[in-house]
């Protein structure tokens, strides 16, 4: 697993992690130390993040120095030494935490979809509810600046957080703005608070140390989120949703967003989630914007695409007093780095 991670997963994006992962795979001492972790917590993404967390916390100075210098050989030696000497600490972090991926980059997909949902309902204000929110960075979708490869731009041009996405095909992205956001609510089994030093450090630790652009963007994202922290609700998504809807003012459109969050749930739970959204729409419209793998989001058309196609479908569902209206409004690749819009607006 570690050899494959280094040679395949990290090879093109992180020379440091490529070298470290391969070195761990070749060290009998390191492999014995990994056996102290629960089987589901031995994956390289978790263990490397735990080691990085120790380095960022000042508890593994040799590893921190090697990462700062970009020295793969020194990093490999220090990672093995840290894992062997501090096995208990590494395992404790890995057992308590789960890997966190880049979130705000998904705003290039979410922004036009949320604006389209508001247009269809005629809403002048929206309340955002992000399911599987982690740190809730997606909830700042209206506060970031987004540039598309065809020259279009959305969001706040003065924002310290700048994102980009490449357009696939000839259809442009709708340029209407998201209306006023009057509520920002995140729902997660284990939410991350960017105002908490340990939580913020873990987000940093989940990035690879030789990716300075991503590190700089995460710092900007967390600083932006900290100026107006979202409300984070912890618990099962189906059980917590009524509380989340209650936090959205009655005169605003609740827009629920899921970005690659539903695949971890069985179909039964996804259908219960869909039913819960419909229940919330008995007194007012509710919109659901999704970016999920083909066939993952219930009710969203698959357009004949294969499940293992390598791309995701951007879905929009509007729940009202009549039957729900579900549509596939786009496709995207690489978590929003490439985007194809499918509808006329």
């Amino acid at each position: 697993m570690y050899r494959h991670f280094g040679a395949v997963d990290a090879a093109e994006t992180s020379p440091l992690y490529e070298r470290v992962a391969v070195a761990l795979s070749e060290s009998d001492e390191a492999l014995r130390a990994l056996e102290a972790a629960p089987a589901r917590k031995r994956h390289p993404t978790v263990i490397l993040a735990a080691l990085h967390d120790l380095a960022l916390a000042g508890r593994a100075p040799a590893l921190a120095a090697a990462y700062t210098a970009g020295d793969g050989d020194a990093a490999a030696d220090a990672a093995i030494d840290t894992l062997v000497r501090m096995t208990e600490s590494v395992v404790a972090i890995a057992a308590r935490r789960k890997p966190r991926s880049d979130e705000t980059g998904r705003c290039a997909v979410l922004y036009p979809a949320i604006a389209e949902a508001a247009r269809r309902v005629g809403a002048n204000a929206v309340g955002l509810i992000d399911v599987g929110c982690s740190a809730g960075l997606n909830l700042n979708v209206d506060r970031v600046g987004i540039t598309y490869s065809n020259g279009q731009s959305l969001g706040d041009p003065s924002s310290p957080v700048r994102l980009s996405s490449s357009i696939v095909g000839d259809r442009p992205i709708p340029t209407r703005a998201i209306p006023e956001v009057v509520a920002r609510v995140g729902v997660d089994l284990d939410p991350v608070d960017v105002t908490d030093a340990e939580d913020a450090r873990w987000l940093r630790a989940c990035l690879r140390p030789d990716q300075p652009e991503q590190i700089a963007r995460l710092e900007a994202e967390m600083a932006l989120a900290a100026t107006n922290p979202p409300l984070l609700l912890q618990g099962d998504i189906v059980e917590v949703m009524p509380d989340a809807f209650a936090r959205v003012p009655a005169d605003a459109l609740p827009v629920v967003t899921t970005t690659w969050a539903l695949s971890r749930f069985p179909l039964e739970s996804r259908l219960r989630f869909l039913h819960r959204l419909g229940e919330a729409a008995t007194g007012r419209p509710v919109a659901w914007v999704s970016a999920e793998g083909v066939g993952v989001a219930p009710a969203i058309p698959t357009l004949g695409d294969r499940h293992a196609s390598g791309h995701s479908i951007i879905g929009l569902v509007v729940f009202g007093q009549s039957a729900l209206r579900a549509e596939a409004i786009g496709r995207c690749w690489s978590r929003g780095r490439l985007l194809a819009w499918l509808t006329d607006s």
Side-chain angles (χ1 to χ4, degrees), residues 176-262:
R176 67 182 53 85
I178 292 177
E180 180 185 8
V181 177
V182 295
R184 305 174 197 270
V185 183
V187 177
D188 198 290
L189 285 172
D190 184 24
V192 176
D193 181 0
V194 297
T195 65
D196 179 87
E198 290 191 4
D199 279 4
R201 189 178 68 234
W202 178 248
L203 289 181
R204 297 182 181 99
C206 289
L207 294 181
R208 298 170 183 186
D210 53 349
Q211 297 180 324
E213 290 186 5
Q214 291 191 21
I215 293 171
R217 189 171 77 180
L218 176 63
E219 294 295 341
E221 293 167 355
M222 291 196 297
L224 181 65
T227 63
N228 184 20
L231 172 64
L232 301 178
L233 301 179
Q234 183 174 11
D236 177 84
I237 61 171
V238 176
E239 302 304 323
V240 175
M241 288 308 293
D243 187 15
F245 281 114
R247 309 303 179 104
V248 179
D251 58 351
L253 170 69
V255 180
V256 178
T257 57
T258 65
T259 53
W260 301 282
L262 296 183

Side-chain angles (χ1 to χ4, degrees), residues 16 40 272:
L16 268 180
R40 62 187 179 85
R272 289 175 58 215

Side-chain angles (χ1 to χ4, degrees), residues 9 15-16 23 46 78 86 107 153 160 173 188 201-202 214-215 237 264 271 274 302 324 336:
D9 296 352
L16 268 180
V46 185
M86 306 180 68
C107 290
S153 60
I173 301 296
D188 198 290
R201 189 178 68 234
W202 178 248
Q214 291 191 21
I215 293 171
I237 61 171
R264 70 193 69 164
L271 292 174
L274 185 70
T302 60
L324 65 82

Side-chain angles (χ1 to χ4, degrees), residues 1-313:
M1 182 168 57
Y2 277 77
R3 188 182 305 116
H4 182 272
F5 179 86
V8 178
D9 296 352
E12 294 184 3
T13 59
S14 178
L16 268 180
Y17 271 11
E18 177 185 12
R19 181 70 186 89
V20 170
V22 171
L24 291 173
S25 77
E26 296 173 345
S27 168
D28 291 338
E29 282 188 305
L31 294 177
R32 281 195 295 270
L34 287 171
E35 292 178 356
R40 62 187 179 85
K41 292 291 189 174
R42 297 174 188 171
H43 193 275
T45 56
V46 185
I47 297 298
L48 291 175
L51 289 167
H52 194 191
D53 187 79
L54 290 172
L56 292 172
R59 299 175 61 191
L63 183 59
Y67 280 165
T68 300
D71 187 333
D73 290 336
D77 291 341
I80 293 172
D81 179 67
T82 302
L83 177 58
V84 172
R85 286 190 307 104
M86 306 180 68
T87 302
E88 187 174 332
S89 296
V90 174
V91 170
I93 295 170
R96 187 173 76 254
R97 298 288 193 176
K98 63 181 181 179
R100 301 292 182 170
S101 59
D102 178 23
E103 295 172 299
T104 305
R106 306 170 187 188
C107 290
V109 169
L110 290 176
Y111 193 107
I114 293 170
E116 176 66 12
R119 182 192 72 84
R120 294 188 180 189
V121 176
N124 295 316
V126 297
L128 302 179
I129 302 173
D130 190 36
V131 173
C133 69
S134 183
L137 301 182
N138 282 340
L139 293 165
N140 287 312
V141 57
D142 59 315
R143 304 176 67 203
V144 305
I146 309 165
T147 303
Y148 297 93
S149 60
N150 62 357
Q152 292 180 278
S153 60
L154 291 172
D156 181 0
S158 64
S159 175
V161 179
R162 308 296 304 169
L163 309 174
S164 62
S165 180
S166 296
I167 299 298
V168 177
D170 299 327
R171 198 182 297 271
I173 301 296
T175 56
R176 67 182 53 85
I178 292 177
E180 180 185 8
V181 177
V182 295
R184 305 174 197 270
V185 183
V187 177
D188 198 290
L189 285 172
D190 184 24
V192 176
D193 181 0
V194 297
T195 65
D196 179 87
E198 290 191 4
D199 279 4
R201 189 178 68 234
W202 178 248
L203 289 181
R204 297 182 181 99
C206 289
L207 294 181
R208 298 170 183 186
D210 53 349
Q211 297 180 324
E213 290 186 5
Q214 291 191 21
I215 293 171
R217 189 171 77 180
L218 176 63
E219 294 295 341
E221 293 167 355
M222 291 196 297
L224 181 65
T227 63
N228 184 20
L231 172 64
L232 301 178
L233 301 179
Q234 183 174 11
D236 177 84
I237 61 171
V238 176
E239 302 304 323
V240 175
M241 288 308 293
D243 187 15
F245 281 114
R247 309 303 179 104
V248 179
D251 58 351
L253 170 69
V255 180
V256 178
T257 57
T258 65
T259 53
W260 301 282
L262 296 183
S263 60
R264 70 193 69 164
F265 297 102
L267 177 60
E268 180 185 359
S269 294
R270 285 178 267 157
L271 292 174
R272 289 175 58 215
F273 169 72
L274 185 70
H275 180 69
R276 186 55 57 94
L277 298 185
E279 288 179 335
T282 55
R284 59 175 170 179
V286 169
W288 171 32
V289 169
S290 61
E292 304 283 354
V294 177
V296 171
I300 300 299
T302 60
L303 305 175
D305 298 346
R306 294 181 295 108
H307 289 282
S309 59
H311 68 268
S312 300
I313 292 181

